[in-house]
Each structure stands twice: as structure tokens, then as C-alpha cells.
Amino acid sequence: AQSVTQPDIHITVSEGASLELRCNYSYGATPYLFWYVQSPGQGLQLLLKYFSGDTLVQGIKGFEAEFKRSQSSFNLRKPSVHWSDAAEYFCAVGAGTSGTYKYIFGTGTRLKVLA
Amino acid sequence: KAGVTQTPRYLIKTRGQQVTLSCSPISGHRSVSWYQQTPGQGLQFLFEYFSETQRNKGNFPGRFSGRQFSNSRSEMNVSTLELGDSALYLCASSLEYGKLFFGSGTQLSVL
């Protein structure tokens, strides 16, 4: 069965520090992978997605993620965190066949940024 | 362009009642999906509709149902509410695969 694991429930970093949020997936075929962010009081927003090709994907707000098939991972990174990055981050995998995909989300990682 | 609109924003119901939640997608988006969000569980997929047809369904009991109208607006219904149904229910619409646009959600509390 398809699944997504985000092992870190909470992460705290200082403003200006680098960030890496972990995501591991389980899926038999080539996965479609996504990162979404949910800021307080706002809906979820797509940060970036991986379908194929270059395994290093650039997203919005200075985020990037690297797909590593051998490790079944799709970790999210940012070189320098800003206070406005405090939010909850969700990794997701697209599962299914053409036209009938559904998304399986991880349980989320809540990021706290210290001034 | 207006975003995804969900109504109502908050709902308080008692056990055994039923509830209907509404979602208006972004204009032109024909795919609408629903998710249940609870602390520690993340987002659980409920179902997805495309052009009035349910294309995919998650692992929820039959008390959870939905439909989509010809204008792509969607409703989700939960019958015989249980305490465990308390959650944030999110609706998302999409035009292309992978890019979901989420509404702010309906916060349902079951007492």
C-alpha cells in the first residue's frame, strides 16, 4: 500500500539557519511527489512537485527538494529560513492510474522559527 | 480570480445528526477533492469528483458521501455524526494534475 512518512512532528530552527524536512514514501511505481505548506489560518499551498527528470526540484519561496529513489525519500530544504516560514509542511505522493490519481499525504511537520 | 470557497467556515453538531458541507471550486476547475484533517493524522483523502463523476474514493465509511453538480460545485455529506468526525474538512480543486488549490476548510465539531 502507498504511504508517506514524515518522521519529524515538530522542528525548531533559528531564523537564518538552514532547514531540511524529511519525507519517505512507499509506492511501487514511479512516484509523483509534492510538498505543500499550510500557514496559520490559510489553506494549503503547493511548494513544489516532482514528476520526472531532474531529481532536484526548485519551488516557490526559496524551497527545493531532492528525489532519491534509492532511499525512497523526497526531503525539503531551504538554505536560510525566514520567520514567515513558520507553518506546517506536508509531503504527498500521487498514487493511481492516469486520470484517477489520488494524493496520499503525510502527517505533517510543524516548523517553528526562533527570532 | 476567486479561490476555492468553502461554506460554512464553522459548524457545531451533536452526535447522530447529519451535516452538509459545500465547496465552490475555482472557475474552470472540474476536479474537486475532499480531505479530512485531524491533528496527528494529517490529511486523509475522502473522495474526488470530476465532471459530476466520482473518480476515486478513500477508506471512509459509507456515512461519508459527496456529489458534484454541473457547475462543478461540490457537496459533502456526513450522516449519523460521531465524535470522531470532528475535524477540519478541506476541499481542493485542480485544473492540472498535482496542483491542488485548497479552500480554508470547514471546522466541524461534534458534541
Side-chain angles (χ1 to χ4, degrees), chain B residues 9-83:
Chain B
R9 186 70 182 90
Y10 300 95
L11 264 179
I12 299 176
K13 293 286 186 179
T14 56
R15 279 181 300 172
Q17 287 186 309
Q18 75 163 18
V19 67
T20 299
L21 312 182
S22 180
C23 172
S24 294
I26 292 173
S27 177
H29 289 193
R30 291 195 291 166
S31 171
V32 174
S33 51
W34 289 88
Y35 294 84
Q36 181 193 67
Q37 184 178 13
T38 54
Q41 294 294 315
L43 279 76
Q44 303 289 316
F45 172 74
L46 282 154
F47 27 66
E48 186 236 356
Y49 288 87
F50 183 87
S51 294
E52 302 180 66
T53 300
Q54 187 182 87
R55 283 203 300 196
N56 226 324
K57 190 176 187 305
N59 298 321
F60 277 81
R63 301 185 296 108
F64 291 82
S65 63
R67 60 178 175 169
Q68 186 180 33
F69 302 95
S70 58
N71 61 357
S72 293
R73 191 178 70 85
S74 178
E75 288 182 346
M76 190 191 98
N77 185 274
V78 188
S79 63
T80 319
L81 284 167
E82 301 177 0
L83 294 178

Side-chain angles (χ1 to χ4, degrees), chain A residues 2-4 25 27 31-34 91-95 102-105:
Chain A
Q2 306 93 352
S3 66
V4 175
Y25 67 89
Y27 187 59
Y32 295 156
L33 297 161
F34 313 87
C91 180
V93 63
K102 64 179 180 180
Y103 304 87
I104 299 165
F105 284 80

Side-chain angles (χ1 to χ4, degrees), chain A residues 49-70:
Chain A
K49 60 184 178 183
Y50 170 79
F51 282 3
S52 64
D54 194 347
T55 56
L56 186 62
V57 181
Q58 301 297 321
I60 63 171
K61 304 185 181 188
F63 285 92
E64 66 178 27
E66 186 171 12
F67 170 58
K68 293 185 177 179
R69 184 186 299 275
S70 61

